[in-house]
Each structure stands twice: as structure tokens, then as C-alpha cells.
Amino acid sequence: MPEKKFSASRVHDLFGSVLGLFALVMLVSSPWQVDSSGPDPFYKGPLIFPLIVFSLILAGALPSMWRLVRPSIQASWYLDGHGRSFKTLIILGLLILYPAGLLFLGLEISTWLFLFIALKLVKQDSLLKLTIIPILVTIILFVLFKFFLDVWFPEPLLIEPVKEWAMELLRK
Amino acid sequence: MLEHMHAGFIAAFSLSNLGALTFGTFVGIVVGILPGLGPMVGMVVLLPFSFAFSPDVALSLLLGVFCGGYYGGGIPAVLLRTPGVPSSLVTSFDGYPLTQKGEAQTALSAALLGSFGGGIISVVILIFLAPLLAHVAASFGPPEYFTVAVFGVVLVVMAFRDQLGRGIMLLGLGFWFATVGIDGTTLSQRFCFGTLVMQNGLDIVPVCLGLFGIGQTLILVERGIMKNHDIQLSRSSLDFSKLFKLFKYWKTLIRSGVIGTFVGLLPGTGSILASFLSYDVTKRLSKEKSLFGKGTPEGCIASEAGNNAVPAGAMIPLLTLGIPGDALSAVLLGVFTINGIYPGPLLLVKEPVLITTIYFSMLLINIVAFAMLVIWLKPFAMIVKVPGKLLAVVIMVISLVGIYAVNTRLFDVGVAISMGVLGYILLRTGWPIVNLVMGFVLGEIMENRLRETMSLGDGSLMILFDRPICIFLVIITILIIFVPFMLDVRKSRNKKLSN
């Protein structure tokens, strides 16, 4: 019974309709988003497949759109009983900040910071876990990517001036 | 032929290949044991690292995770009634009752024997069937490939026919992702939105890692893994005396391995169907029918042999036609294409050493996984106690750095995070995410074959009806679409009449 309710949630129809509307916009705007100025006829050209694809998405979304506009009596917004995703949103925010961290703080500091804050957020915050895991993972990533695989990481924009300043101080 | 076998044997037993497949198998068993992760997460996390290796070593690494995941999935199903991978649910039907009777060693022996037997049988079938299928496929032109791809896609969509609209939408979305960037044929820009970074298109690594790796870990952060400290195992390793007693079920083992291989061969069917079907057939043919569901090792053997035969079964259409059978083999297809190897009927002719290396590696993976679990059964079973949220956070950061490392582009990290959000929504809502991956991987193949077919037919698809193989596949495809609906209609009509 709960499974049936889950499957019939209006959240599905909303998500399907959003995809359908997106496909409609893309279908209409495709001729401008695809450079079809080449000499090939339409059936060999780069536009035919995207048009088929967006029509397919739109066709798949039509039942969702219909149900969203005309919901049945039993329809509800109940999804799965797992509540709202505030914690997930915060972790997602951290994930978005992580690439910026790579750019400004570098691999080591941003990895350590990410793990420290994320572990605290998900309540894996015993002293042992909070000290050992971020350091251990940071070391593993550093050794693996920088040492063994020799991957280039951007020079941290915020750390470099601090380093230079510290070097200057030491020289003095 | 013999010299290729010899070269493949040497390559499979090279130190790097042995190391990669052992490590991959270890990771596979670990992610398989942990409910909520599964082999897909393990594969996508290791995907960026695989580019540092030659194609055969990279494939061994990922195949190790693929097969090892199914081995590991049976352990928590038997001990805790919590399947590590969805298909191991069937193993718990008889495995857990056996554990409750104090016969956990018998249940685990049956599950491991089933996994090992299913794995080996399916690889043997792969070795014999792949050249036959490749021989047939050698006469294929673009129209045949196009119809095969359509057939595969229809099978995938129809596998989730209770979510038909959603499946079609996700398949379309996957196709669209595949069109982004510069078109390979005409060099025209498509959906680049005026940016330079989009011209390279979307890479398989950030897309798959985002959808499965980040998406799944976001779900884990929310829910964690079910923890159970009540693991009843009398000894650290497997009890061989129990294992030897199970050889009397050799017919079940072979039959289930064959069923699993052929189910794996069909795109979209997956390992759940393989284990259910093997279990059901075994139950019908067994002399001890009444014991099924109450705790019989035969049930565990059937289920595990069925699901463990799927990886090799899925390799058959992948290697011979270039059509992946499921999301896991779609990732393997990505590894092939990134290394400039295009699976298809000519692959067996062009890359015989690579193919034989894969065969030997798959055999070795089964032996290594079996040996690892026989020796370290209890330590592996204890992995289930690791907090899921802690693992999720660590996997996230490894995934992001791994994605960046492939092309050293922060754009890919952005793509992965966006895909992670999409993956989270799809996993949370229960939409068939596999359709999206299949669409993305098959998109380029479908589009190219469609355009080539249209060119051959001067803009018309009627050329398909001039070719016997195409006609046959079109008829089968139509039947696959309409027969289930007709059966559903008949079923509901009968239900109404009986009411």
C-alpha cells in the first residue's frame, strides 16, 4: 500500500511536467541551438536526432502533465515519508563549494575542511573520527593524485599570497 | 588462435593485471556487502583511476568490482536478511532461515558455491557464444545496427513498463546529453549555449559518477545503512566440510548459471530477474519443494548462481554488438571507447589478445573473489558495521577529486555535481535511472546509425524492410512492446470478470 502511494505521488507528475516543459522549450529552440548551416540534407544533418529526442521526452511527459493539471481524487504530494532534505541540501552546498575550495585553498585544505564539516553535519563527530578521517583521507588523496598520478591542481589563489608573505617574514 | 590465447593468458597473469583485478574484486566485495552502495558506486569511483592503466588492466579492475559486488551482496542477505545488491534479495529467502537455524556456514557455503559456479559457467558460455554472435554480427550494416540498438533500448524501457512515461523521458534525456558538444560527423556545435567548455560534450565519467556515485551517497547521507550488530558466524573462514556436501546440487548450479547468462545477455533485464527466474525454476524442479522459503541451500545456490552469471552474460552483447546490457556494462563500454576501442563484431578479430585477456581475467576474478571470501569471511561480514554516512562523505570527496583528475577540468566537477543532484532526485523518487545511462551511452551509436541508415535509404527508413535481419528485429521489437500490454489487458479483464 505505501509503495502504491509512493508511485502515485504528485511529485512525480511535477517532475515529469518540468522535464516535459523543458523538452518543449528545447524542441522549439533547437534550430537556433544547433548549427545546421552545413551542406548536408536534413536527414544526414545534426538537427534530426535532437528533434526526435525532445519529441520523445515530450511524449513521455504528456501523461504527467495531464495528471498534474487534472489530479485524481486520491492524488497527494506525499512522496516516501523520508522527510525534507535539509541535511542533504547543506551537504550539496558543501559539494558546490568544494571546487571553489580547490581553486582558492588548494586540494589539502579544502579536502580536510570538507570532510571535517561534512562529518560534523552527519553526526559522525566523535573526536577520533573528526581528527583521524579527514587527515587520513587528505593524505591518501594527496599521495595518490599529486604524488603517484602527478595530477595538476590549480595554485591556490588565497594560499599563495599567504605563503609569499610568510616567506618574506622568514627572510626578514 | 592458440597464440592469442597464450598472449591473453600471459597478459591476464601479469603482475599489473593480477593486482588490478584483485583490488577491483576486493572493492567490489566491500561495496557489495554494504547495502545501499553496490557495484555501480564502486565502479564509478574507480573509473577515473582506470585511465592511468592500459585498457586490459582498466577493464580487469572494473570487472573485478562488477563481479565482486555480486559475490559480496549475498553475505548480508544470508546473515542479516538485508541484500547488499538488490538481486541478493532472493538469496535471503532461504539463506536467512538457515542462519536462524544456526546453519549460517551452510547458507554462506551455498551462496559462495552458487556465485562461483554461476560465474565460471557464464564465462565459459561467453567464450563459446561471443564468437558465434560476432560471426552473425559481422554481416551487419548500419540498418541492422540501428535496429539492434532500438531493440536494446525498447527492452530497457519495457523492463520498467510500470513507469513507461518516466522511462521514455529519462531515455530521451540520456540521448540529449549524448548530443551536447561538437557533432562528430558535421562538426557543428550543438547545445553549447555559447560556451567553449561545452564544445567537448559531456564525458561519461562525470555523468556516471555524478548520477550513481554522488546521487547514491546523498541518499546515504539522508538514510544511512541499516546497522545490525547481530552477526552470527562461528569461525572466521568458511567451513569446507559444509561446502563439499553441497556438490550434490551440481545440476541446480549448472542450470542456474545458464539461466543467469541468458538473462544477462538481454539488455534491460538485469540480475534481479536472473536470480528470481533461477530460483523459481529450481523450486519447480526440486524434489524438496516444501523446503523452499524455509531454509534450503539449494535455493541459495540457485539465486546466487543466477545473479552471478549476469556480468559475463552482459558482456556478450557488449563485446559482439557494442550494446551494453545494463548500466554497469554501459560504464565498461565507456572504458572501451575512451581508449579508442569500439566493441562490435570486428573487436574479436581486431583485438583478440584483449578479448582473451578479458576471458582469463573474468575466470581469475571468480577464483579470487571466492578465495577472498572463503579465507576472510568474518572480516568481510563485519564491514556491514561501518557507518554509511561516514562512507558517503568520504566517497563524495574521492569522487570529486577523481573526476577532476581525468581531464583536470573543474567544469567536469560541476557536471558531476549537477548529475549528482539529478541522480539524487531520480533515486529518491524511484525513477528508472538506468534508462538515463543507457540513453547517454547508446545515444551516439543510435544517432550515427540512424543517419547512416537514412543516407542509405535516401532519407527514408523503408530500407529497413529490405533487409531480413532488420525485419526480424522490427517484428520482435513490436512484439516486445505490445504483447505485455495485451497480457495486462487480458489479466485485468479476467480479474473484472472474476469479481
Side-chain angles (χ1 to χ4, degrees), chain A residues 6-7 12 15-16 19 22 26 30 33-35 40 43-46 48-50 52-54 56-57 60-61 64 80 82-83 85 88 91-92 95-96 98-99 103 107 111 114-115 118 122 124 129 133 137 141 144-145 149 151-154, chain B residues 49 52 165-166 168-169 172-173 175-176 179 183 186 188-191 193 214 218 221-223 387 389-390 393-394 396-398 400-402 404-405 408 410 413 417 421-422 424-426 428-431 443 446-447 450-451 454-455 458-459:
Chain A
F6 160 72
S7 178
H12 296 291
F15 185 49
L19 279 180
F22 169 74
M26 294 302 281
S30 276
Q33 306 220 36
V34 174
D35 173 20
D40 297 299
Y43 60 86
K44 279 187 200 174
I48 181 167
F49 194 65
I52 295 171
V53 164
F54 292 124
L56 199 70
I57 302 174
S64 300
D80 54 5
H82 285 291
S85 323
T88 315
I91 296 282
L92 188 65
L95 274 177
I96 294 167
Y98 184 72
L103 208 61
L107 173 72
T111 303
F114 175 86
L115 286 168
V122 296
Q124 296 296 317
K129 280 179 191 167
I133 289 168
V137 175
L141 287 181
L144 198 66
F145 288 100
L149 297 176
V151 175
W152 177 84
F153 284 89
Chain B
F49 301 96
R166 295 167 196 168
I168 291 173
M169 275 190 270
L173 203 60
F175 283 153
W176 176 57
T179 64
D183 171 39
T186 58
S188 320
Q189 283 193 29
R190 296 195 292 188
F191 310 107
F193 303 103
I214 295 174
L218 284 173
V221 162
E222 220 168 62
R223 297 177 197 174
K389 292 180 178 180
L390 187 147
V393 167
V394 173
M396 273 178 202
V397 80
I398 295 176
L400 288 187
V401 180
Y404 170 79
T408 57
L410 282 173
V413 180
I417 294 171
V421 175
L422 183 62
Y424 167 76
I425 295 170
L426 297 177
R428 175 102 194 244
T429 51
W431 282 37
M446 286 277 281
E447 181 178 13
L450 172 74
R451 282 155 74 176
M454 296 277 268
S455 299
D458 282 331

